[in-house]
Amino acid sequence: MTDFFSSHGIDRSQLPHAQKVPQLRVHHGREFVDNYEWMRQKDSAEVQEYVAAQNAISDAVAAGLAPLKQTLFDELKSRVQETDMSVPTRVGNYWYFSRTEEGKQYGRQCRVPVRGADDWTAPEISVDELLEGEEVVFDADLESQGHDFFRSGGLDLDKAGRLLVYSLDTEGDERYDVHLRNLTTGEDLPDVIHRVSSGAFCTPDGQWIFYVRTDDAWRPCELWLHRVGDASGEDDRCVFTELDERFWMGAGLSFDESMIIIESSSKTTSEVLHLPVADIPGLLVEDADSADARRFAPFIARKEGVEYDVTFARFEGCGEGGADVPVAVVVHNVRHPNFEIDIIDMSGHEPGQQYELGEGTCVAVGSDYGCEQASHEDRARAVSEPFFSEVNPQILQGTAGLQVGGLGIYKNFVTLSYRADGLGHCAVMSKHQAFEDWKAGRPLSFTKLGESDPDVLPSVGFGANPSYESPVLRYGFGSYTQPSQLRELNPLTGEDRLLRKAHVQNYDASLYAERRLWVVARDGVRVPVSLVWRRGMVPALDSLPISASGLTAPALEEMYGAQEKESTGAPMYIYGYGSYEASMSPSFSVARPSIMDRGVVFCVAHVRGGGEMGRAWYEQGRRLKKTTTFNDFVDVTAALEHAGIADPRRTVANGGSAGGLLMGAIANAAPFLYAGIEADVPFVDALTSILDESLPLTVTEWDEWGDPLHNPEVYDYMKAYTPYENVMTSQQREETFGTDYFPVIFITTSMNDTRVLYVEPLKWIARLTEPEVGVEAFAKIEVEAGHGGVSGRYKQWDEVSLENAWTLDLMGIHE
């Protein structure tokens, strides 16, 4: 039994215990008695009292951790250059950049005019001086005054830079009010659009605003059109509706600003619709059969189970008689689960013509190995097996887990993004050479960007490249130990220069190391693991041969008594997510050195259900294979502890949202591996939520988790792993594992979260703290935050400092 509360002067008798109000749930003939479903009544006095009581406990914990938290906060703050600015990006006839100032929660967006049409050299920004002609476009710190919560839903401008469209959420529920501002006068227009999704945008001429509304389940499904100057909004018109409840939609301008693009997608199917900007007035013609009426049309018809995206570009002067060659770049998975990229020559095609998937020339293809939709032979291959294809560029040959991403065509160069070997990559080539290769039917001759240091795990991505005309491209580079860099490359000359490196004060990257290991999980699959630590403080890692390729997870029974055994391993903080094909790419954190300086190993387990190794990695950890995600995380933890790298008595796990579901599952499956578990906005009452069609996200989530409402097999599978319904009593843990040990649980949530409702973690902690369960668990419940936590950088620093203080305290590190 842990003694966390007593060490902080809290007696167990002080802990709040929720009343039990049994409520019967019956599906497919299966019965479940839910004692805490009454907590869904958010505004009831009982719920409010329980929330207040839980926060009183978390406040008491925070008070005990206050000295350490303050130390960590001060260390974090000392690494940040609080007054800072970004590198300007050219959009239209202005250079845009941001400034942040010491003491302010939010920054301000600024701009200066370009010096001429050929001005592609960003002006140098000074911390202390304004540039000539500098003006403030949007001051978020000023706009946030009077609001406990503040988040922007995006800024957009017309082509001339006179009209600003900005969206604000001041409640934390991800519903935004859209405002319009005349930047010439600085005055807001009377037009205000209330309670819509983020991402409202204007047309290049500044005459129209497009925005997205949601249905009762808060699914973005309707595209609306607003005429600038119509203050009442009475003439706003819904111009597209996505009727399929599995699909979410978004909209924006095409890269060349000639079309309005709608992207509608479920977890497994997508469709792109388009309309020329010039045809917008035709959307208001009610008679669809009228010659003046216009409607959005699909570029390629929707096909169940197929995802695709399309961008439009041209090869200037490359056609007959020096004509331009218009092309469409289509990325789709109709033939290859990890996508292929096709280039379609649109010369001579009729406007509005509908195309077919697979049309055009394939210039890149991802690996089929291990994927559900592959051939029998390829489906049986391991995801980690090297992949070769005659159509692929040389840089893709022999990679594992290959998933091709996007192909970007600019005036002077062509870009490629892809994932391989568990990491994201970027490449570039000249546009002239791309055209020659394409027309000759040979692989495109790309060059990889920014991966010359063998001692780091690189994270490479294209930066802000909003201008088609720019002769240079920007890309970002960083790692777990290397602060991010923004670089600028001229693909024609090869000049590659550093524009900016994130300035981290009081930090020496050479003191830290990062490493990729592979853990062989219980089913024989190799799971990638990222490890970061301070050199000289983790003997097992410092002495591990660089050639060591991996570890093998022990049988779980060997670890049952882990909390009672002496260990020479280091304290470990291990993070995981493993859902929605999301990839956890390497990134630097200004808070992380504080825990590593105290000897803690930072670990990321890249478990299945994520996208680190492509589509097969995702497929092997979703729906009726979801428990693979949990098993991978447990196996990675056990392997690191068994190898003497990590100490089970000082291992703390963390995950949020779907990663919070992971935390709840591993707590039930292998409590003996962890000293503590932090679950942020955790999806721990998953079955109840996915059974309720009226809740936000539910129907769209069936593609991810399965449909337990209509499928009894899915119901039984989810019932067996959903954390809230599988909490063991102390006696059951003793009978199963030979010990009643359970880690300390720290839960964070928000009353305004619309993605994972507050009721899920509340029900979970009520169950965990029942006397017969006997778990030490507490919850920090924000009343002004949303799914992403509190807003404002100082508030966020305070939050992460508290969480790290709790982590270190559990590890026995108190200063």
Side-chain angles (χ1 to χ4, degrees):
M1 184 63 66
T2 56
D3 59 357
F4 174 78
F5 283 141
S6 62
S7 69
H8 286 273
I10 301 171
D11 190 272
R12 285 175 179 261
S13 63
Q14 299 174 254
L15 301 182
H17 293 289
Q19 61 176 324
K20 293 183 179 181
V21 181
Q23 181 172 320
L24 183 64
R25 183 188 74 205
V26 182
H27 285 283
H28 310 297
R30 284 76 156 166
E31 296 184 351
F32 172 69
V33 176
D34 192 335
N35 290 320
Y36 302 112
E37 181 61 14
W38 62 268
M39 290 184 169
R40 202 169 294 276
Q41 303 303 316
K42 179 179 178 179
D43 296 324
S44 70
E46 292 81 4
V47 168
Q48 294 297 315
E49 289 172 4
Y50 188 72
V51 167
Q54 284 293 343
N55 276 337
I57 297 298
S58 70
D59 288 346
V61 171
L65 296 172
L68 179 55
K69 186 195 83 168
Q70 188 61 50
T71 297
L72 297 174
F73 182 91
D74 292 341
E75 289 178 6
L76 187 161
K77 191 169 181 284
S78 74
R79 296 188 193 99
V80 178
Q81 183 171 305
E82 296 180 70
T83 298
D84 205 356
M85 60 277 164
S86 66
V87 175
T89 297
R90 180 173 170 176
V91 181
N93 292 322
Y94 291 91
W95 288 101
Y96 290 86
F97 55 96
S98 64
R99 288 185 183 272
T100 56
E101 294 182 14
E102 184 174 356
K104 292 188 175 181
Q105 294 279 10
Y106 307 93
R108 62 179 188 269
Q109 301 297 318
C110 308
R111 71 181 182 186
V112 292
V114 299
R115 295 175 287 271
D118 295 328
D119 176 19
W120 295 105
T121 302
E124 293 188 8
I125 311 299
S126 168
V127 171
D128 303 318
E129 296 182 7
L130 299 182
L131 293 175
E132 182 180 352
E134 181 174 336
E135 61 177 310
V136 176
V137 175
F138 187 77
D139 188 336
D141 206 73
L142 180 63
E143 300 286 348
S144 71
Q145 300 305 308
H147 300 292
D148 292 323
F149 181 91
F150 179 85
R151 180 167 292 151
S152 169
L155 307 177
D156 193 50
L157 294 150
D158 66 347
K159 195 171 186 65
R162 289 192 291 265
L163 179 70
L164 172 69
V165 180
Y166 65 97
S167 307
L168 302 179
D169 170 17
T170 56
E171 301 293 332
D173 59 2
E174 299 184 55
R175 296 297 167 264
Y176 298 84
D177 292 340
V178 180
H179 305 263
L180 312 182
R181 180 168 296 165
N182 183 325
L183 292 179
T184 302
T185 65
E187 299 294 325
D188 275 11
L189 279 63
D191 310 42
V192 180
I193 304 166
H194 295 285
R195 304 283 294 169
V196 300
S197 292
S198 62
F201 66 96
C202 64
T203 52
D205 61 7
Q207 298 301 306
W208 305 94
I209 306 296
F210 283 92
Y211 62 93
V212 174
R213 288 197 179 277
T214 65
D215 60 13
D216 291 340
W218 288 14
R219 175 181 66 97
C221 61
E222 295 180 349
L223 182 65
W224 284 69
L225 178 63
H226 171 86
R227 188 191 298 270
V228 175
D230 176 17
S232 68
E234 292 179 358
D235 294 329
D236 286 13
R237 183 72 57 85
C238 179
V239 294
F240 175 80
T241 302
E242 175 52 71
L243 298 175
D244 193 322
E245 293 182 346
R246 299 172 301 155
F247 283 68
W248 283 32
M249 59 146 295
L253 281 170
S254 62
F255 186 56
D256 62 3
E257 298 189 339
S258 67
M259 295 186 186
I260 307 298
I261 303 294
I262 295 175
E263 295 184 348
S264 189
S265 60
S266 69
K267 296 294 188 299
T268 58
T269 306
S270 63
E271 184 176 44
V272 176
L273 302 98
H274 61 302
L275 178 88
V277 169
D279 290 347
I280 289 175
L283 291 170
L284 302 179
V285 178
E286 293 190 10
D287 182 2
D289 296 325
S290 166
D292 296 325
R294 298 290 185 272
R295 299 293 183 265
F296 284 93
F299 182 78
I300 296 172
R302 180 180 304 182
K303 183 177 180 180
E304 185 66 29
V306 174
E307 301 166 68
Y308 80 89
D309 192 15
V310 59
T311 56
F312 303 96
R314 63 188 59 247
F315 288 98
E316 292 86 352
C318 293
E320 288 188 22
D324 293 350
V325 179
V327 297
V329 178
V330 183
V331 183
H332 67 85
N333 64 350
V334 69
R335 291 184 293 221
H336 299 281
N338 270 312
F339 297 90
E340 69 177 74
I341 302 176
D342 297 335
I343 300 179
I344 301 175
D345 186 343
M346 299 174 68
S347 302
H349 289 233
E350 295 295 324
Q353 176 178 335
Q354 193 167 118
Y355 293 85
E356 299 292 329
L357 288 164
E359 194 169 342
T361 304
C362 178
V363 296
V365 60
S367 169
D368 292 344
Y369 297 168
C371 295
E372 293 173 358
Q373 300 304 313
S375 66
H376 176 75
E377 180 182 358
D378 285 345
R379 190 166 60 248
R381 292 174 181 260
V383 179
S384 56
E385 186 174 336
F387 175 75
F388 297 86
S389 170
E390 61 181 11
V391 305
N392 275 348
Q394 181 59 39
I395 60 171
L396 304 184
Q397 303 293 354
T399 58
L402 173 65
Q403 184 175 79
V404 295
L407 192 78
I409 299 180
Y410 294 77
K411 184 176 181 179
N412 296 302
F413 53 85
V414 176
T415 62
L416 172 70
S417 59
Y418 61 99
R419 291 200 67 83
D421 303 313
L423 295 168
H425 305 273
C426 293
V428 67
M429 66 184 298
S430 77
K431 189 173 185 178
H432 172 76
Q433 186 64 52
F435 181 80
E436 293 295 320
D437 288 346
W438 172 48
K439 279 306 181 183
R442 58 179 177 252
L444 301 185
S445 44
F446 280 101
T447 300
K448 192 185 295 188
L449 294 178
E451 300 185 32
S452 58
D453 188 344
D455 293 325
V456 302
L457 298 173
S459 180
V460 186
F462 290 113
N465 293 294
S467 175
Y468 176 82
E469 301 288 333
S470 176
V472 294
L473 74 86
R474 291 181 178 180
Y475 68 97
F477 172 84
S479 75
Y480 290 111
T481 63
Q482 302 291 325
S484 62
Q485 300 178 25
L486 180 63
R487 305 192 67 88
E488 187 172 81
L489 171 72
N490 186 319
L492 302 186
T493 67
E495 181 185 1
D496 188 339
R497 67 189 185 100
L498 176 67
L499 291 180
R500 173 184 172 84
K501 184 173 183 178
H503 183 64
V504 183
Q505 303 172 146
N506 304 313
Y507 175 76
D508 180 355
S510 68
L511 298 178
Y512 304 90
E514 53 190 303
R515 180 88 177 274
R516 169 62 54 81
L517 286 179
W518 298 80
V519 167
V520 179
R522 64 189 69 180
D523 61 358
V525 171
R526 299 172 73 240
V527 178
V529 181
S530 297
L531 296 167
V532 196
W533 71 98
R534 178 157 178 158
R535 299 180 191 274
M537 299 195 72
V538 186
L541 286 177
D542 288 328
S543 61
L544 193 67
I546 197 68
S547 60
S549 60
L551 307 170
T552 299
L556 203 55
E557 291 82 357
E558 295 181 38
M559 303 297 293
Y560 281 176
Q563 293 297 323
E564 286 77 45
K565 296 176 182 177
E566 293 291 331
S567 171
T568 58
M572 178 172 70
Y573 177 97
I574 180 168
Y575 174 83
Y577 186 74
S579 291
Y580 301 107
E581 205 171 358
S583 298
M584 301 296 106
S585 297
S587 62
F588 181 81
S589 163
V590 290
R592 193 180 302 138
S594 286
I595 66 171
M596 294 191 297
D597 288 347
R598 291 164 171 82
V600 178
V601 177
F602 176 81
C603 172
V604 180
H606 302 283
V607 295
R608 279 172 283 183
E612 285 88 345
M613 295 290 287
R615 178 54 55 93
W617 207 245
Y618 170 50
E619 292 173 341
Q620 292 174 19
R622 66 169 181 170
R623 298 180 184 168
L624 295 178
K625 298 178 181 177
K626 188 64 209 172
T627 55
T628 304
T629 303
F630 316 142
N631 293 342
D632 281 357
F633 193 90
V634 167
D635 288 349
V636 167
T637 308
L640 292 169
E641 292 175 350
H642 191 258
I645 294 171
D647 181 353
R649 300 165 304 169
R650 298 184 294 166
T651 292
V652 175
N654 173 239
S657 195
L661 165 66
L662 170 61
M663 293 300 102
I666 61 124
N668 290 337
F672 42 83
L673 296 180
Y674 307 96
I677 293 175
E678 180 185 337
D680 300 317
V681 290
F683 184 46
V684 284
D685 192 18
L687 181 54
T688 301
S689 293
I690 299 299
L691 283 168
D692 189 345
E693 293 178 279
S694 69
L695 292 178
L697 309 179
T698 291
V699 176
T700 60
E701 294 294 286
W702 287 345
D703 281 332
E704 176 76 16
W705 309 98
D707 175 8
L709 185 61
H710 303 101
N711 187 327
E713 182 184 11
V714 174
Y715 180 95
D716 291 341
Y717 188 80
M718 292 191 70
K719 179 72 174 67
Y721 74 68
T722 192
Y724 167 63
E725 298 183 26
N726 288 280
V727 173
M728 295 184 189
T729 64
S730 175
Q731 181 178 345
Q732 288 170 329
R733 295 195 301 271
E734 181 73 46
E735 293 170 352
T736 303
F737 306 124
T739 173
D740 70 349
Y741 173 84
F742 203 86
V744 180
I745 304 293
F746 177 17
I747 300 168
T748 68
T749 188
S750 164
M751 296 300 287
N752 293 329
D753 193 340
T754 59
R755 294 177 183 261
V756 177
L757 300 184
Y758 74 92
V759 68
E760 295 201 30
L762 248 65
K763 290 170 64 175
W764 187 40
I765 196 170
R767 171 63 176 149
L768 289 172
T769 53
E770 289 178 358
E772 61 269 28
V773 176
V775 171
E776 292 195 305
F778 67 103
K780 183 174 183 289
I781 306 166
E782 296 288 348
V783 295
E784 300 292 348
H787 188 69
V790 296
S791 62
R793 58 175 179 165
Y794 292 103
K795 291 180 181 178
Q796 291 169 347
W797 295 353
D798 189 78
E799 187 176 72
V800 73
S801 296
L802 172 63
E803 293 166 3
N804 284 347
W806 173 78
T807 296
L808 292 170
D809 183 78
L810 269 189
M811 295 172 173
I813 303 168
H814 306 297
E815 59 183 31

